[in-house]
Amino acid sequence: MKNYIENEESIAKFKEFFNEISNPSSPLELMKSRYFAFKTNNYKYLYDTHCEETRNFTLEDLENSNKKVEWVDLKILDYSEKEETVTFIAYYRENMYICEHKEKSKFKKINDKWLYYGVLDFPKQIKIKPNEPCPCGSGKKYKKCCGK
């Protein structure tokens, strides 16, 4: 996937979304506009585009949680139109350190408007050593069972 690119055209489009002149046409477009809203401290837009069903914070909570953060870049890792998900890494500066926030976001279309629904968990990957018991429950060593 391409990195997030901020240019005059994309900024103009995001401002149309912020002013409710138009709405994002896809989860990916909403994701990019929400990142720009974080970057420009547009907390009302972030609040309004978060699905009410999963929103468990106030506008003031959102404002307070981002006071010391400077958003510096966004990298889109994956986008699934079918699953309505966007996986990304957002880079930010906090206390002189560059940090990353990796997330797989779920989106939902409600009344013809895309909304951020929440975060999906990443499946945990484990590495099984050849002489460890096989996780399938056979009682055999991994190398003699599923690890063949």
Side-chain angles (χ1 to χ4, degrees):
M1 296 292 306
K2 292 182 179 178
N3 284 348
Y4 166 84
I5 297 174
E6 206 171 281
N7 56 37
E8 288 181 31
E9 185 180 332
S10 64
I11 291 171
K13 186 183 278 191
F14 299 152
K15 287 181 178 180
E16 284 184 11
F17 301 158
F18 296 170
N19 294 318
E20 299 181 11
I21 295 168
S22 63
N23 291 315
S25 62
S26 70
L28 183 59
E29 201 170 53
L30 177 59
M31 174 62 236
K32 290 178 179 181
S33 69
R34 285 177 55 83
Y35 170 77
F36 188 70
F38 270 110
K39 194 170 180 176
T40 58
N41 302 321
N42 190 333
Y43 302 115
K44 183 171 179 353
Y45 180 77
L46 292 165
Y47 185 83
D48 291 345
T49 58
H50 192 122
C51 184
E52 192 174 332
E53 182 182 334
T54 59
R55 191 185 322 134
N56 59 356
F57 56 88
T58 66
L59 184 56
E60 187 179 352
D61 293 336
L62 190 57
E63 291 169 356
N64 290 332
S65 69
N66 284 282
K67 281 186 177 177
K68 296 180 182 178
V69 173
E70 177 192 355
W71 296 93
V72 294
D73 197 16
L74 176 69
K75 183 176 182 182
I76 305 297
L77 302 176
D78 187 46
Y79 167 55
S80 172
E81 192 171 342
K82 181 180 176 186
E83 294 177 6
E84 301 173 338
T85 60
V86 178
T87 306
F88 66 91
I89 299 175
Y91 297 92
Y92 61 96
R93 184 177 289 116
E94 185 174 27
N95 299 325
M96 297 176 46
Y97 294 99
I98 297 291
C99 307
E100 65 177 41
H101 171 80
K102 185 175 181 183
E103 182 176 312
K104 183 173 186 176
S105 299
K106 175 72 176 162
F107 297 85
K108 207 174 191 181
K109 197 169 194 178
I110 299 174
N111 298 327
D112 284 332
K113 188 175 179 182
W114 283 106
L115 297 171
Y116 172 79
Y117 190 76
V119 179
L120 299 175
D121 291 330
F122 285 101
K124 291 185 180 179
Q125 293 186 350
I126 57 170
K127 186 168 183 170
I128 303 164
K129 295 178 182 167
N131 288 323
E132 290 181 352
C134 190
C136 75
S138 68
K140 297 179 184 177
K141 290 184 180 183
Y142 180 67
K143 69 181 179 185
K144 300 272 185 182
C145 191
C146 296
K148 284 185 179 182

